[in-house]
Amino acid sequence: MEILKCEGIKKVYGSGANQVKALDGIDLVVDKGEFVAIIGASGSGKSTLLHILGSVDKPTEGKVVVGGTDISALDKTQAAIFRRRKVGLVYQFYNLIPTLTIRKNILMPLLLDKKKPNQEFFDQIVKSLGIAGKLESLPNQLSGGQQQRVAIARSLIYRPALLLADEPTGNLDQKNSKEIIDMLKLFNRNFEQTIVLITHDEKIALEADRIITIEDGCIISDESRR
Ligand SMILES: Nc1ncnc2c1ncn2[C@@H]1O[C@H](COP(=O)(O)OP(=O)(O)OP(=O)(O)O)[C@@H](O)[C@H]1O
Ligand SMILES: [Mg+2]
């Protein structure tokens, strides 16, 4: 089943002499349950693509459909709601709310919609991420690796159609990086969670089912490894 489809995505930043063509015609289909790694040199357009897939930013040209919704057609408010409910976003920095407990940080997307969590799923997530004992702590009482697990728990709580991760281990040591990737794999296998992950690390890319290489805003290789 197709979970993501984009056609002819172009993104141009700025205008005139300052114009930067960040994406130059990206066509991509991702099926439910795939674990895709995106690699490519710095400045090749990886983060730009991820932001467009996550409705954080709009393409200059082209169409993006995620879980059946044409996100290129959403207005700002619709895009914010879509982002909260249908995509999980994880970055190099964890972006937790410092004044809220870990429990509330994880539940935030649901709380914003005044929705009750599925307790069983919540327990399962925090247990598999190894943060069940930290729920009443504040973010600054956790290590970097633990904070990233909380950010991942938050990104998964809505059971998003798509988990998008931009260098999620960029700030972590090797041991923590490996653990985070192993956990993402676990969610991918156990819950058929679709994942698109940007990485600079070849070892991490080799953990994915599929490796896409971007150069100068174009896909230059798309290799299935399953
Ligand atoms: N907000 C912006 N305004 C203008 N140019 C931008 C903006 N964001 C990105 N760019 C440019 O678009 C191109 C692609 O940037 P992008 O951040 O997508 O690269 P990247 O592949 O994620 O690189 P890195 O590996 O360093 O994170 C670069 O030339 C960058 O300078
Ligand atoms: Mg980037």
Side-chain angles (χ1 to χ4, degrees):
M1 191 180 89
E2 212 170 271
I3 208 92
L4 164 74
K5 180 172 191 164
C6 52
E7 286 173 349
I9 298 294
K10 294 193 179 179
K11 178 72 182 181
V12 179
Y13 290 112
S15 57
N18 297 323
Q19 227 178 46
V20 177
K21 225 184 215 180
L23 296 175
D24 195 13
I26 300 276
D27 298 310
L28 176 63
V29 173
V30 175
D31 284 332
K32 181 167 168 58
E34 275 195 283
F35 185 171
V36 182
I38 297 184
I39 58 173
S42 180
S44 56
K46 305 181 297 295
S47 296
T48 302
L49 177 61
L50 207 78
H51 284 144
I52 289 173
L53 302 184
S55 80
V56 177
D57 202 356
K58 292 234 180 214
T60 314
E61 258 182 67
K63 185 172 159 182
V64 185
V65 180
V66 176
T69 304
D70 179 354
I71 60 173
S72 2
L74 301 179
D75 67 25
K76 254 194 169 163
T77 315
Q78 292 169 325
I81 293 173
F82 177 84
R83 212 156 47 228
R84 182 158 82 230
R85 296 182 185 165
K86 296 291 179 189
V87 293
L89 282 163
V90 180
Y91 294 100
Q92 183 168 352
F93 300 99
Y94 325 118
N95 303 318
L96 302 176
I97 301 173
T99 52
L100 294 183
T101 62
I102 295 308
R103 180 190 300 279
K104 285 206 170 138
N105 265 285
I106 296 172
L107 294 174
M108 189 41 76
L110 292 169
L111 295 173
L112 287 168
D113 281 338
K114 301 195 169 50
K115 281 202 180 143
K116 281 232 169 78
N118 174 328
Q119 192 61 43
E120 199 185 327
F121 186 57
F122 177 85
D123 291 344
Q124 235 172 345
I125 291 185
V126 297
K127 197 173 156 223
S128 35
L129 288 168
I131 46 176
K134 299 286 181 186
L135 295 176
E136 308 315 323
S137 305
L138 292 171
N140 68 6
Q141 296 170 318
L142 270 59
S143 73
Q146 289 167 337
Q147 289 186 56
Q148 188 60 304
R149 281 162 226 228
V150 174
I152 290 172
R154 178 184 57 190
S155 77
L156 290 169
I157 195 74
Y158 237 119
R159 298 186 179 238
L162 196 56
L163 178 69
L164 301 171
D166 193 345
E167 300 268 5
T169 61
N171 221 11
L172 302 175
D173 62 32
Q174 249 186 8
K175 178 169 170 286
N176 268 298
S177 296
K178 178 157 191 332
E179 283 175 13
I180 293 281
I181 297 301
D182 287 348
M183 283 167 197
L184 290 178
K185 264 185 120 164
L186 191 84
F187 282 103
N188 172 250
R189 302 290 185 254
N190 291 356
F191 298 102
E192 247 198 310
Q193 177 65 56
T194 314
I195 301 178
V196 176
L197 170 139
I198 294 176
T199 183
H200 270 119
D201 186 333
E202 193 179 329
K203 251 207 210 135
I204 290 177
L206 289 170
E207 299 283 331
D209 305 324
R210 181 174 165 195
I211 303 179
I212 292 176
T213 311
I214 298 201
E215 195 179 289
D216 295 334
C218 296
I219 293 177
I220 57 158
S221 131
D222 185 343
E223 178 202 352
S224 179
R225 312 187 58 256
R226 260 218 243 225

